[in-house]
Amino acid sequence: MAIAPPEGGTPPDPTHPRDAVDRFFEISARGSTMGREVRGGLATFFTMAYIVVLNPLILGGVADGDGRKLSIPALAAATALVAGLMTILMGVVARFPLALAAGLGVNALVAFEIAPRMTWADAMGLVVIEGVLIGILVLTGLRTAVFRSVPTQLKTAIGVGIGLFLTIIGFVDAGFVRRVPDVAKTTVPVGLGIGGKLISWPTLVFVIGLLLTLVLVVRRVRGAILIGILTATVLAIIVEAIGHIGPSVVNGRPNPKGWALNVPTLPEKVVDVPNLSLLGNFDVLGSWSRVGWLVPLMFVFTLLITDFFDTMGTMVAIGQEGNMLDERGTPPRAKEILLVDSIAAAAGGAASVSSNTSYIESAAGVAEGARTGVASLVTGGLFLLAMFLAPLSEIVPFEAASTALVVVGFLMMTAVRTIDWTDYEIAIPAFLTIVLMPFTYSISNGIGAGVITYVLVKLARGKAREIHPLLYGVAALFVLYFLRGPIESVVL
């Protein structure tokens, strides 16, 4: 496995570990240093700390079938706790620079589709079941075998697609790109800023932070991404103190020129006691007796497919960004990565914060030089501190943290050169994989389209024997995944 050290430093001697920690985490062997790992862990935390605020807003704003809502403070504390523990577990067991937290998209599915049909405890019980099932697939070797059955160039396309996905997330979160209102009577779905103009102070903060980060990256400055985030945050605090811009929604009314989520002001209270009352509030059997077996089965299948392939794509992208993939496109300790991810899915349900999964924002840490689980220990530790220091975690606005996502998106995009675009048998599936991730806002949709198209094109060329047997099953599952809407409308 050839692992290149990040730019801007002298590569450590991989044959002479400095100490037991270096030997256990393979810091020198992977061309890293403790300083790079710490910087990487910090960068990853700052790019995904928003989940401590956003996940409670998604889950806490919806009532279940009995009209009950979850406590937002309790959701925030549990979100930080599970993210911290699972990220630390990833660092120790898998020794890979990958952070975990409540999965966006999955939490929306739980909140808006599952919970209204049953109780919150029932809904979280289904998440626990899904996590256990994925864990069984890992222990039996099936999940790893499916991962290895995907062609190497298609794995590369997954990483590139995720890079573009990160880029659009960064632009949208920062307000640089926005959805065009339906009242505009235009066929253009998104546009630049507000009405095609960059006229808000938060967006200006993002632009300045992004340009600064790009300059630092070009000049090979160590900690470029982290410096960009912190500088943009300081600028945001100054702008808010002078302009009193406020949030994007004020008293239920939209404020397009406001901050997207966190308002960058110094908090009145720094330390708070976490509310952990939601831990253990789940019921694995309640939903089956309440709504029958078919509804829970369909929901578990949807959760399973989403978690199963999102993580596979994420770990490939992280490994690709850090040049940590072997000749088959597999990251080190892949089975351990997938096992921890499955445990995190069940743990998220057990803590009432929805399925926890691997975060592609971890690429920000890898871009800072992180190559080992030490970075995950740093990120996880900061999440645990966030339980008590929640006010501080709310200082960094989207507009500052999103600069990292755009820069990382560029770095991941560079791998597109390794795909053979003259070979339509791989080029067409790779293209659909890449473009559907950002265009549908889903990693699983891109992977599914790529796998289905790859199998179809190979069959059309009479090359059925070149398809790994497992890919036929994966393609069939993705067909069911894409058809789940019509299927649910008929059988539910």
Side-chain angles (χ1 to χ4, degrees):
M1 183 186 302
I3 301 175
E7 296 285 351
T10 302
D13 184 357
T15 62
H16 293 86
R18 300 181 184 89
D19 48 40
V21 173
D22 190 346
R23 188 178 304 108
F24 180 80
F25 288 102
E26 302 176 329
I27 299 173
S28 295
R30 296 189 187 181
S32 185
T33 65
M34 187 62 73
R36 292 171 186 166
E37 296 300 312
V38 172
R39 288 200 307 271
L42 287 168
T44 295
F45 174 76
F46 282 122
T47 57
M48 59 183 289
Y50 66 85
I51 193 62
V52 178
V53 178
L54 185 57
N55 191 52
L57 294 180
I58 293 174
L59 295 178
V62 179
D64 64 11
D66 289 346
R68 176 175 174 265
K69 290 187 177 182
L70 298 177
S71 163
I72 289 182
L75 283 169
T79 297
L81 174 64
V82 177
L85 293 178
M86 292 301 102
T87 300
I88 290 173
L89 188 65
M90 179 67 76
V92 174
V93 175
R95 305 170 203 172
F96 196 67
L98 193 59
L100 303 95
L104 290 175
V106 175
N107 58 3
L109 173 66
V110 173
F112 299 111
E113 295 187 38
I114 301 180
R117 292 173 176 258
M118 52 194 75
T119 68
W120 275 112
D122 296 339
M124 294 304 171
L126 294 182
V127 175
V128 172
I129 292 174
E130 175 257 335
V132 171
L133 289 176
I134 289 185
I136 293 173
L137 293 177
V138 174
L139 293 175
T140 58
L142 182 60
R143 195 178 187 189
T144 305
V146 169
F147 171 76
R148 290 175 176 169
S149 71
V150 179
T152 301
Q153 290 194 58
L154 197 54
K155 290 178 183 175
T156 300
I158 292 171
V160 174
I162 290 176
L164 291 180
F165 183 42
L166 276 179
T167 302
I168 188 64
I169 290 175
F171 281 138
V172 170
D173 286 350
F176 189 84
V177 172
R178 303 188 186 216
R179 183 181 294 108
V180 176
D182 294 336
V183 295
K185 303 299 182 182
T186 176
T187 58
V188 179
V190 294
L192 179 68
I194 302 173
K197 301 175 182 178
L198 301 177
I199 56 176
S200 71
W201 284 107
T203 303
L204 179 62
V205 169
F206 166 75
V207 171
I208 293 175
L210 177 60
L211 294 178
L212 171 63
T213 306
L214 290 174
V215 169
L216 295 175
V217 168
V218 169
R219 293 183 63 85
R220 311 291 188 186
V221 175
R222 294 184 183 182
I225 292 176
L226 184 56
I227 292 173
I229 294 173
L230 295 178
T231 303
T233 299
V234 172
L235 177 60
I237 292 173
I238 295 172
V239 168
E240 175 61 24
I242 296 174
H244 302 290
I245 298 164
S248 58
V249 178
V250 180
N251 297 325
R253 296 181 179 180
N255 174 26
K257 297 182 181 180
W259 303 97
L261 180 62
N262 294 341
V263 177
T265 57
L266 295 178
E268 297 179 0
K269 194 176 185 181
V270 175
V271 180
D272 200 2
V273 178
N275 179 351
L276 301 178
S277 60
L278 291 178
L279 300 186
N281 184 30
F282 68 96
D283 185 350
V284 296
L285 300 177
S287 61
W288 305 85
S289 59
R290 176 163 179 151
V291 296
W293 64 271
L294 197 54
V295 172
L297 187 65
M298 289 301 299
F299 282 140
V300 169
F301 172 75
T302 302
L303 290 169
L304 186 69
I305 291 295
T306 302
D307 268 354
F308 191 101
F309 291 99
D310 267 13
T311 299
M312 287 173 55
T314 299
M315 73 180 196
V316 168
I318 299 301
Q320 183 174 293
E321 168 64 17
N323 196 19
M324 293 182 285
L325 302 181
D326 61 18
E327 63 281 356
R328 294 187 298 177
T330 304
R333 302 179 69 82
K335 183 175 181 179
E336 286 81 359
I337 293 172
L338 295 173
L339 179 60
V340 173
D341 184 83
S342 64
I343 294 173
S352 298
V353 295
S354 182
S355 175
N356 272 230
T357 188
S358 302
Y359 261 57
I360 189 57
E361 283 89 342
S362 305
V366 174
E368 280 293 347
R371 296 292 183 271
T372 76
V374 174
S376 295
L377 299 185
V378 174
T379 303
L382 290 172
F383 268 118
L384 294 182
L385 284 176
M387 286 195 303
F388 303 91
L389 305 174
L392 287 181
S393 67
E394 298 175 14
I395 290 177
V396 182
F398 267 172
E399 290 79 2
S402 295
T403 57
L405 302 184
V406 177
V407 174
V408 171
F410 155 72
L411 296 174
M412 296 175 68
M413 180 70 187
T414 59
V416 73
R417 67 186 184 279
T418 63
I419 299 174
D420 184 2
W421 295 103
T422 63
D423 181 3
Y424 283 10
E425 291 180 16
I426 192 65
I428 292 175
F431 168 74
L432 291 176
T433 298
I434 291 170
V435 299
L436 283 180
M437 286 189 193
F439 289 167
T440 66
Y441 233 62
S442 167
I443 294 175
S444 293
N445 288 347
I447 296 176
V451 169
I452 292 173
T453 310
Y454 177 80
V455 171
L456 181 62
V457 170
K458 283 290 187 182
L459 290 175
R461 294 292 300 275
K463 298 181 179 181
R465 293 184 178 179
E466 295 182 10
I467 304 173
H468 193 288
L470 282 176
L471 274 190
Y472 286 110
V474 173
L477 286 175
F478 268 119
V479 169
L480 291 176
Y481 172 76
F482 286 121
L483 293 177
R484 68 188 188 281
I487 293 175
E488 289 173 358
S489 65
V490 171
V491 301
L492 298 185

